[in-house]
Each structure stands twice: as structure tokens, then as C-alpha cells.
Amino acid sequence: MRELPPASSERGRRVISPVPDADSQLMKQRQLAERVLGWLLYAAAAGFILAYLYIASQRIGYPYELEWMEGASVDHVARLLDGEKLYVEPTPDFVPFIYTPGYFYAAAGLARVFGVEMMPLRLLSFLASLGSLALIGRFAQRETGRRASGLVAAGLFAASFPLSGSWFDLARIDSLFLLLLLAGCDRVRASRSLAGAVAAGLLLALAFQTKQSALVVAVPVLLTAAVLRGRQGLVAGLAFAAGVALSVGALVASHPHWFWYYTMQLPRQHPVAAASLSEFWTVDVAAIPVAFGLGAAYLIHRVARERGAAIDHLVFAGAMLACAWLSRLHGGGFVNVLMPLHAAIAIAAGCSWGSAAVGSGPRWLRPAIGAALVGQFVLLVYDPSSAVPSARHRTAFDALVERIREIDGPVIVPYHGHLTALAGKERHAHTMAVADVLRGTDRALRSRLYLAIDERIERREFGAIVLDDPSWHRAKLERHYRYAGPSVPDSEAMRSLSGAPQRPWLLYLPRSE
């Protein structure tokens, strides 16, 4: 019988090429897509943070207003350094803003070193904004255990810069308020000692002494902590209550009647902006829809899965949203009050990206979240140069300050603080602070303030009046002053870069007897 050739012989061997596994190929493609999406996401987040740092570096030393109420903040600080009280009966010379005084006291400390000008106030806000970015990133990283979540969250908040009026580094109270609010809430959640709980309560008390709306966040967050963490939560709540009570008591004692009137009574007397009941959702929240949707989905899913372990994050996010919404409902509330909302959305959306990396959801979930977040960053793209003052802006304000300096006698620029001080003349009350009093319900006080301004116009006490709006005390103004043309030739260049588009362009001079 003839033998068959061995299977290993060259003649009978069949060479079979290995066939790649289809599942393995799909896995590699999915991993590559996730990697590309991740790098796009991190590049976008870092890019928005760098864009903000560029803007702030160009604006921090700018001597003139970027927003129409910045100069009045400097006036508040100057008053403190002169040893004057902030909360006094309103007069044409000074009316305080309706905020608690924490920012002004902190800024006065820096102004004592650097001088009474815009720079130290903006420096305080800039440093506070950097602190907020760090805390937002830390919050998201701690929730998910992934640094990538922190970078995405911080980048989303930086990208919200124009949505809140390009406000982060302005000489206004909001960035310090947000920093203290985030720091207090972070300590409430992360602290494991009684000393840390005390620190959390005191940080939230400082947030309240920077802006009263801190109560809307602090109270539900501390109540939740008391339920979930027992003694530590109670200690944090007691520290907060003691800090608020003692600081308010000291301010009431040092400013009889007036501190309470400006910070507690007057804001409640202002009308509600009814349009914000719906526009908060259809305009403000709708401006950052993808991040809001992802953040909300993350919180709902986490609470459904972990229940008690995630309730405090849900309460924090809801309280920050309520803080922004109620502030928008206050008549005159501008988009700067949305900063707490943007911070909460950024944290939750950052967590959605990090949690998808370690979750047990379908394979498509992580790339879908990554693509959605990249799309959100694209929707938030803006031109950083639009927030930076131009040489033309500065030249126009230089010319206005010089013109004010050359006019004999006092000059009032009621819509813009600090300008007259730059020209070596006395300061006057800001028209927004005056308007807050005039919108109040104390008729006698309103009448005294309005008539006091009218009397000064009637006596022609001012060598010139520089206005944004010709309706300012129009009856007396037209009788005793005449319109003398634009305040400077290029008055259009002075329009505010942030906030309401104000500009001091109408010059009025006294009529001859």
C-alpha cells in the first residue's frame, strides 16, 4: 500500500493567511475615535482657558472702565480708605450699591498697596476667577476620579466668559462671590474633620458678606450636609449661622439703619423682572444647551444609581441654578448673575465625560458624549480680541479726562464713577445706585434724593455735566444747562466692552444767567 506524503511536506502544505478578527478591528477603531475626540476635547478646554488668560492679561492694568459700573466700585474703595462709612443716607455725592461689603473691603486692602485705581480691584477678581477655575476642575475630578473631567469642566466654565457679560476679571463683586461660594460648598462636601466643617461654614458666611444671594445656595447645601453627614454638617451650619449673625450685627451697629436698608430692605422693594421667568430657560440656559443636557442626565443617572451618595451634588447644582434664576428675576439683574449657573453646568458636564470612561454603559456612550461636548465648545467659540480695549478706546477716554480737568469747577459724570477723580475732581453718586433708591418704596427718601440732585442742577453747581442719556433730570437740565455737543470728538469709541453698552458722550454746560 502506497503511503501518503506527510502533512508537513512542502508539496502538500497549504498556507492559510490569518484573517483579522472583526471585533478586534472595531475595538481599535472605537479606541482611536475616542482618543481623537479626547484630544479635541482637551485642546478645546485648554484653548478657552488660555483665551481668558490672554484677555485678562490685556485688561488688568487698563485705567478706564470696561463696564459702566466698574468706576463706582473704585469710588466705594476710595471711600473706605478715606475712613468714611459705606452705608449712609443717600446724597448726590454718594449712594452705596445694594451689596454686602466683602468685595470692597478686600479690594481696599489691595488698593492700600497698589493705589486707588482699577488695577487692584481687577487683580482681586482675576485671582478669584483663577481660584474658581481650579475649584471647578477639582470638584469634577473628585467626583469621577479622573483629571480629564476637571480639565473639561474648567474649560467649559472658561468658555462661558462671554455668556456672563465678559465679567470674570472686572472690578465687580461677582468673581470673589463665586470663589467663596464654591470654596465653601467644596469644603462642605470634602471635609472630614470638625475644623474643616467650621472652615466650610465660615467660607459660606464670607460669600454672603460679598453678595446676599449666597443664602440661596448655602442654606440647602448645609441642610443636606446635616442630614447626610450628621455632626459635621451641623457644625458647618452653626459656623455659617454664627458668621452671618456676628458680621451682620457688627455692620448694623456701625451703620445704624443704613446697612440693613441697602442690603436687606431695598432689594426686596424692587420689581420682579417677570420676563426672566421664561427667558432664563429659553435664552440663558439655552445658550449652553448641550452641556446643560449632559450635566442634567449625569446627575439624574447618578442619583438613580447611587441615591444618597449623589444627593448632595444634585442639591448643590439645583441651588446654584436657583441662585442665578432668582438673581435674574430681580429687576436690573444682568447676565453676570449667571456665573453660578455656568459653574454648576460645567462641573456636571465635565463629570459626564469622566464617568462615561469608567461606567458600564453601551460602547457608543463615551464617543457620543465626547462628540457632544466638542460640539458645545464649537458653539461657544468667540473672538477674544473683542473683549480687549483698543488704542482708540483709550485715546477717547484720555481726551475726556483731559477735558474734565480743564473745566472750571466740579464736573458730574453720573453714569461713570472714578472718571472725575482721574481728572483731579470730586466724586459723585453713580446713577445706578441712585436708581436703586428711587425704585424703592420710601417716598420721603426718594423725594429728598431726587430734589437734592435737582437743586444742584438748578444752582448750576456743576461746571459741566457729562451724560449717557439726555433724559437724566431732563426738566431741570434743559432749563439750566445747554447741550454743547459730544464730550469728545470720537465719543463712539468709549462704548463699554462689557455689560450694558454705555458711553459718556453728551456734554452739557451751564446756561448764562
Side-chain angles (χ1 to χ4, degrees):
M1 188 174 178
R2 189 173 162 188
E3 291 185 0
L4 294 172
S8 60
S9 71
E10 290 297 324
R11 211 168 122 186
R13 179 182 299 165
R14 291 182 64 189
V15 179
I16 302 174
S17 300
V19 178
D21 180 74
D23 288 343
S24 176
Q25 287 284 67
L26 285 173
M27 177 69 73
K28 289 179 180 179
Q29 291 173 3
R30 184 172 68 86
Q31 290 174 344
L32 178 61
E34 287 184 12
R35 195 173 297 119
V36 170
L37 277 171
W39 283 112
L40 284 173
L41 198 53
Y42 307 145
F48 276 106
I49 293 170
L50 290 174
Y52 168 60
L53 295 179
Y54 163 74
I55 291 168
S57 70
Q58 300 300 301
R59 306 199 315 180
I60 195 166
Y62 189 65
Y64 301 119
E65 289 181 332
L66 299 166
E67 183 271 340
W68 74 301
M69 292 167 64
E70 272 194 304
S73 294
V74 182
D75 292 344
H76 281 59
V77 168
R79 188 173 180 87
L80 288 175
L81 292 180
D82 287 342
E84 301 286 341
K85 294 181 178 181
L86 276 187
Y87 303 103
V88 294
E89 183 172 356
T91 70
D93 294 324
F94 181 74
V95 180
F97 287 145
I98 57 172
Y99 307 125
T100 40
Y103 174 80
F104 304 118
Y105 280 112
L110 289 176
R112 196 178 295 277
V113 176
F114 295 105
V116 183
E117 56 188 55
M118 292 287 183
M119 192 280 287
L121 280 75
R122 291 204 187 116
L123 176 62
L124 176 59
S125 293
F126 173 62
L127 293 175
S129 69
L130 294 184
S132 292
L133 284 168
L135 284 169
I136 287 166
R138 176 181 173 178
F139 198 125
Q141 179 182 339
R142 189 173 60 243
E143 289 292 298
T144 62
R146 295 179 62 85
R147 291 182 180 177
S149 294
L151 176 59
V152 171
L156 281 169
F157 183 69
S160 74
F161 176 71
L163 300 183
S164 55
S166 305
W167 215 265
F168 295 179
D169 59 331
L170 294 183
R172 298 293 304 275
I173 67 172
D174 300 271
S175 283
L176 181 61
F177 164 67
L178 181 63
L179 173 66
L180 293 168
L181 200 59
L182 289 171
C185 292
D186 178 76
R187 289 295 81 207
V188 168
R189 289 172 55 79
S191 176
R192 295 295 178 264
S193 68
L194 294 183
V198 171
L202 294 180
L203 283 167
L204 289 172
L206 287 173
F208 168 79
Q209 280 299 351
T210 304
K211 195 174 186 181
Q212 303 92 305
S213 52
L215 286 173
V216 179
V217 177
V219 171
V221 164
L222 290 169
L223 287 174
T224 303
V227 172
L228 296 180
R229 294 181 176 84
R231 187 171 63 165
Q232 283 179 262
L234 287 172
V235 168
L238 289 172
F240 171 73
V244 169
L246 290 173
S247 58
V248 167
L251 286 163
V252 168
S254 59
H255 302 80
H257 176 70
W258 294 113
F259 168 77
W260 193 260
Y261 168 74
Y262 285 110
T263 63
M264 304 298 167
Q265 293 179 332
L266 190 56
R268 295 200 304 269
Q269 296 171 7
H270 292 163
V272 171
S276 291
L277 284 168
S278 60
E279 289 180 0
F280 176 80
W281 301 100
T282 60
V283 177
D284 298 333
V285 173
I288 190 166
V290 179
F292 180 81
L294 288 174
Y298 163 78
L299 289 172
I300 293 169
H301 173 71
R302 186 160 177 238
V303 169
R305 186 183 61 195
E306 301 178 28
R307 296 187 180 179
I311 287 293
D312 53 354
H313 190 174
L314 180 64
V315 170
F316 163 77
M320 295 286 269
L321 182 149
C323 177
W325 193 9
L326 291 173
S327 297
R328 280 293 261 165
L329 287 172
H330 177 260
F334 192 60
V335 293
N336 56 298
V337 303
L338 299 176
M339 288 168 60
L341 170 71
H342 295 153
I345 290 175
I347 291 168
C351 288
S352 74
W353 169 249
S355 64
V358 295
S360 57
R363 290 181 176 181
W364 54 263
L365 182 61
R366 182 166 169 78
I369 291 176
L373 286 170
V374 169
Q376 178 64 90
F377 275 120
V378 170
L379 291 174
L380 293 173
V381 168
Y382 67 94
D383 177 11
S385 65
S386 64
V388 175
S390 64
R392 182 183 166 204
H393 191 273
R394 180 164 189 157
T395 299
F397 270 103
D398 283 342
L400 177 58
V401 169
E402 187 58 33
R403 186 159 195 183
I404 292 171
R405 182 179 289 114
E406 292 171 352
I407 291 171
D408 291 333
V411 175
I412 185 170
V413 190
Y415 291 79
H416 302 271
H418 190 52
L419 275 178
T420 53
L422 289 173
K425 297 183 181 291
E426 62 190 53
R427 305 172 190 268
H428 295 95
H430 193 278
T431 196
M432 188 68 247
V434 172
D436 283 337
V437 174
L438 297 181
R439 291 190 299 157
T441 58
D442 188 330
R443 293 184 179 180
L445 188 63
R446 288 161 42 191
S447 178
R448 284 200 304 273
L449 178 58
Y450 195 88
L451 290 176
I453 298 172
D454 265 1
E455 287 170 5
R456 291 195 178 186
I457 297 171
E458 190 171 2
R459 292 197 300 265
R460 298 182 179 87
E461 284 190 10
F462 306 113
I465 299 173
V466 183
L467 298 176
D468 294 40
D469 184 347
S471 66
W472 184 82
H473 290 260
R474 174 170 280 167
K476 294 292 182 181
L477 181 70
E478 292 180 348
R479 184 177 303 173
H480 300 284
Y481 284 77
R482 61 180 177 83
Y483 174 59
S487 58
V488 295
D490 191 11
S491 61
E492 179 62 33
M494 294 187 291
R495 198 174 296 278
S496 301
L497 275 71
S498 299
Q502 301 287 138
R503 60 186 175 118
W505 68 289
L506 302 168
L507 177 66
Y508 288 82
L509 298 175
R511 293 185 182 275
S512 57
E513 293 290 350

